[in-house]
Amino acid sequence: MIPAAFEYTAAASVDEATQALRKYGEDAKVLAGGQSLIPLMRLRLAQPAVLVDIGRISGLDGIRRENGTLVVGALARHAEIQSSGEVRSSLPLLAELATDVGDNQVRNLGTIGGVVAHGDAAGDYNALALMLDAEIVTNKRRHRAADFYKDIFTTALEPDEVVTEVRFPVANGRHAYLKFRRRLFDWAIAGVAVQQTGSGWRVGYVNLGNTPRRGTAVEQALAQGASPADASNQAGSAIDPVDDVRASAVYKRSLAATLTRRALETASAGG
Amino acid sequence: MAITQMIGAHIQRREDPKLITGHGNYIDDMRLTGMLHMSVVRSPFPHARIRTIDVTDAAKSPGVHAVYTARDFKPVLAGGIPAAPAFVPDKKQVPNHYPIAESEACYQGEPVAVVLADDRYLADDAAQLVSIEYDPLPAVTDLDRAIEPGSPTAHEGAPDNIAWDAVFPGGDIDAAMAESEVRLKLRITQQRLFPTAMETRGCVADWVPFGNRVTLWSSTQVPHFLRLFISGALGITEAQMRVVANDVGGGFGAKLRPYPEEYLACAGSRLIGRPVKWIETRTESQQATTHGRGQIYDLEVGALRDGTLVGLRITQLLDAGAYVGVFGSFGGGCYTFKAVHGRSLGILTNRVSTDPYRGAGRPEATHLVERMVDLVAGELGLDPVEVRRKNFIKPEAFPHPNNFGLVYDSGAYEKTLDRALEMVGYGDLRRRQKELREQGRYLGIGLSTWVEICGIGPSAATAPAAGVALVESSAVRVHPTGSVTVSTGTHSHGQGHETTFAQIVADALGVPYEMIDIKHGDTGETPFGYGTYGSRSLAVGGISILKSCQKVVEKAKRLAAHIFEAAEEDVVFDQGRFYVKGSPDNAKVMGEIAFASYGAGLPEGMEQGMEAITYFDPPNFVWPFGAHICVVEVDAETGAVDLQRYIAVDDCGNVINPMIVEGQLHGGIAQGISQALFEEVRYDDDGGQLLTGTFLDYLVPTMAEMPHYELDRTVTPSPTNELGVKGIGEAGTIAASAAVINAVCDALSPLGIKHVEMPARPDRVWSLIQEARS
Ligand SMILES: Cc1cc2nc3c(=O)[nH]c(=O)nc-3n(C[C@H](O)[C@H](O)[C@H](O)COP(=O)(O)OP(=O)(O)OC[C@H]3O[C@@H](n4cnc5c(N)ncnc54)[C@H](O)[C@@H]3O)c2cc1C
């Protein structure tokens, strides 16, 4: 790995990180687990002048429940989310998503805050945050997930904004996540998450558009009593996949419908 | 010779403790005083004219000692990189391959300038500042279009893109086709692959001006070839150059040619007067290290209605890339065809060159024959097992000359097939397949009964084809107290020679295994040798070592006779002990005889010392074979292929170390499966830009994607050499892609799908299913 030269500073608190970001402006980047940023720097596709490492800020990795909300600290690593008893009881679907992220190395280092801030449509948590109306809390404000994911790799975050926690509504009803990929540690070619909540089914799509997508039409069809097979025919209206090296858009559309049906069937069978 | 304790022993590789505890000595571990680091500026275009190169800013960048372009190298670097004759006597054009582009860049990743700096970071920073003006030219990438008259050419001013056009007639193909009752055609693409060694390429060059000596440490499979060619280009003698390949982290065929960076590092070291190091990044490796495969086959098979194979017509379009490398063979597999007709067209394109990759021609050859056999079976409604049985060369027919006059040494093809069928439970599996089909599920069973040519190779065949006789050297030296140093011209980069060769020597000399040291990879301490590829190391290099040992034993026996005051024919050599017939209790061991050989009082005319050198020229190639069976289920909704079982019964003759044989099969099968299902180098259609430039997009599978291997073996010794050994390094790869694709095609046959190209990506399989259903 031969990145371009950069300055490095480790922040001891969110305040320190904020100050550093204000000082260096657009030239600075937050470094959390490094599992998305470092690969870009390796290829010199990202050449930040300053890295502000938030990885050592204590207290940012907590996972706790506040009434009907599961609060996950920005620095919670995938491995922690995967094995957290709190997550498993309050939002087991999140733990399942975490289990499927990358490989052991990635899961031991990568953070939920990094996934959210990176805003990758292929980031599994992003679809979950969107479909469940999660809140993304930063040093400055609270974002509704529905307003957060703007465009490809673009979120509502400003350069001096640091994600501190992600707040999910508790949901432990029937659920399933189907992640279609060719190798165990790969990103999803397409992923479909389904969760039954007090207000009906929620459906989220991973890597099927420039941003994470919510399957509103599928949700509505289900609310009106459609079978999984019929409801899954509505998958297409939520998504906007493109041709890439992994697969054609046509194929991904078919996959989205198949996975939607299977996810709903799996969740329903799961009790 | 008596097979004693060591040959055949299931022992662990002695090189592993060092390697797996991080004590290996790879190129990037090397640090020399004053060493500079080289970064290579590469053409981002597949084809472009280079108008100007401005190095001003780069040269001023911190830590930079020099920025060199072709103009700087010309005075110290003569001539181009050699192209092997590529088994074709009638080559039409061989573009000159100077190690660095001067006015025209012909593939994406071709070196255009180099930066030498204090460290690699500074070198890469400066490399970004080299400013080059290019005029992009049309890129030749599509093989069919490349051979059309009037196509743009991969090299400006070339008459066309044909590097060679060679015909290999193997019998009267027209008669064979005329006699056939069914004739079936198929086009098969062998996609380009990255060879993906764990260690990328890299080198360190140290030029010493006094005496014009250069030492080159490189991650290569062929140190002696490097010395031969690079010393010539540098204008020095071979004696002035030393090439060292210490531990090498895999090669798979992509490290068996001299590469531009090796020339540039040596010449750069000469120009700057300091050692120069270059380590290839993974991205560079994917762009600029030779790719494997890259061929299209147009095929026609002729058969009788009872399944008898009659003729096979093969036209190979080979994507040579921008410069010419080596290309592989093809044939009729383990079947008796009346005629097999081959034509090979080598096509120049604006891509990095192709070169051997594990199997090197034989995976392609096996794939095409095995696919055509299944096509015949499918067309005639016959069981693919029966078509194979009917057409196998029979055990009593060996030695068997194939259609091209090459002589298969030994084989028992039905034996491996029967065992594989038994292991997989073929009858039950076919019944299960029928049941599942009724439920709308697609189970597939694929066979690959393979034979390969390896042990490369006899001078009579290799000298005309390769320009040098690919024999192999060895030197065996018994030291005064009985320890042994063995030098071999082969090179181990994962094969385990230090273990297997020592096993052979332990038995041949009767010396403890621990007292035997195997040396390879350093031209300064080994006789001229030919390196490792083509599953040749044991069958050629190993036999060479055995023969050196025999020479040593012969001398030791003469000396023992002298010491025992007995006649030579009365001296017995038995597992390292020499004694006079009838008195085994009064024996001397090899160490004692060796000690005596360095002393006084030797027999009349005998020189001191106990050593021998051999150049072994094998009388024939060796021909391992086997039967692989793959079981898959295809998910018709997603096109995903689930690899459920993989059975392999192979026959590589006698086995020196079963553990190493299994290890080679595991890795080899993985690479074959990987070609069938995962890996493919992709470029964008018109621009020729590499799209799969990271492991994110280029899918090298992991253990999680591989099935459990069910392995077994039969033993049909080779009559070609005294140990009865063949080769196993490439076998798995040679067999596997055909087994997997045959299984996928078998699964999809109820839909009328006859062929699936590699890799059988889910989207590709899904599209075929959609087409078939509409
Ligand atoms: C081989 C591999 C496979 C992977 N597979 C998957 C997968 O299947 N699914 C998946 O979802 N992810 C996958 N990832 C990515 C992984 O989940 C990363 O951990 C994640 O994308 C980013 O988290 P991070 O902590 O590593 O962030 P970093 O890489 O450190 O940062 C990523 C970006 O977010 C910004 N950032 C990080 N944290 C904050 C914060 N708290 N506030 C503001 N900005 C911040 C950084 O400035 C940077 O721009 C994979 C990664 C690899 C290397």
Side-chain angles (χ1 to χ4, degrees), chain A residues 29-39 54 74-75 77-78 100-103 106 109-115 117-118 122-125 157 161-164 179 181 185-188, chain B residues 696:
Chain A
K29 272 259 167 221
V30 169
L31 176 71
Q35 298 304 293
S36 288
L37 187 53
I38 303 283
I54 61 167
L75 284 184
R77 318 266 165 183
H78 306 306
D100 275 354
V101 171
D103 52 27
V106 173
L109 286 167
T111 66
I112 189 168
V115 173
H118 201 50
D124 307 84
Y125 301 147
L157 290 178
E161 226 173 335
V162 179
V163 176
T164 54
K179 180 172 184 171
R181 52 195 162 161
F185 66 92
D186 271 333
W187 298 80
Chain B
L696 206 61

Side-chain angles (χ1 to χ4, degrees), chain B residues 6 11 14 482-484 498 502-503 505-506 511-518:
Chain B
M6 293 310 288
I11 53 174
R14 55 183 358 196
S483 63
V484 183
E498 287 165 41
Q503 287 178 267
V505 174
V511 167
Y513 173 73
E514 297 72 25
M515 288 175 71
I516 301 159
D517 194 27
I518 307 289

Side-chain angles (χ1 to χ4, degrees), chain A residues 183-184 245 251 261-262, chain B residues 635 637-638 682 695 705:
Chain A
R183 295 176 298 188
L184 188 63
V245 264
Y251 171 74
R261 194 197 76 235
R262 289 184 182 177
Chain B
D635 178 341
E637 278 189 307
T638 63
R682 288 171 75 178
F695 285 147
E705 284 71 48

Side-chain angles (χ1 to χ4, degrees), chain A residues 1-5 42-44 47 180-187 189 244-248 250-252 254-255 258-259 261-262, chain B residues 120-121 124-125 128 281 283 635 637-638 640 677-678 682 691-692 694-702 704-705 759 761-763 766:
Chain A
M1 131 117 185
I2 313 162
R42 175 177 85 81
L43 299 173
R44 298 194 174 204
Q47 302 196 6
F180 191 86
R181 52 195 162 161
R182 290 170 65 194
R183 295 176 298 188
L184 188 63
F185 66 92
D186 271 333
W187 298 80
I189 293 174
D244 60 23
V245 264
R246 293 201 178 78
S248 67
V250 190
Y251 171 74
K252 290 182 199 168
S254 158
L255 197 57
T258 303
L259 297 179
R261 194 197 76 235
R262 289 184 182 177
Chain B
R120 181 61 188 268
Y121 300 95
D124 276 18
D125 290 348
Q128 283 186 309
T281 65
T283 308
D635 178 341
E637 278 189 307
T638 63
L677 295 179
F678 295 98
R682 288 171 75 178
L691 296 177
T692 51
T694 71
F695 285 147
L696 206 61
D697 297 318
Y698 186 83
L699 307 190
V700 177
T702 69
E705 284 71 48
R761 297 192 311 260
D763 60 325
W766 177 84

Side-chain angles (χ1 to χ4, degrees), chain A residues 77-84 87-88 91-108 110 124-125 128 175 177 179 181 183-187:
Chain A
R77 318 266 165 183
H78 306 306
E80 289 160 5
I81 296 172
Q82 170 183 359
S83 58
S84 155
V87 175
R88 285 178 178 263
L91 186 55
L93 182 54
L94 177 61
E96 283 175 30
L97 262 64
T99 309
D100 275 354
V101 171
D103 52 27
N104 282 335
Q105 269 167 290
V106 173
R107 286 197 295 276
N108 282 329
D124 307 84
Y125 301 147
L128 186 68
H175 60 269
Y177 181 50
K179 180 172 184 171
R181 52 195 162 161
R183 295 176 298 188
L184 188 63
F185 66 92
D186 271 333
W187 298 80

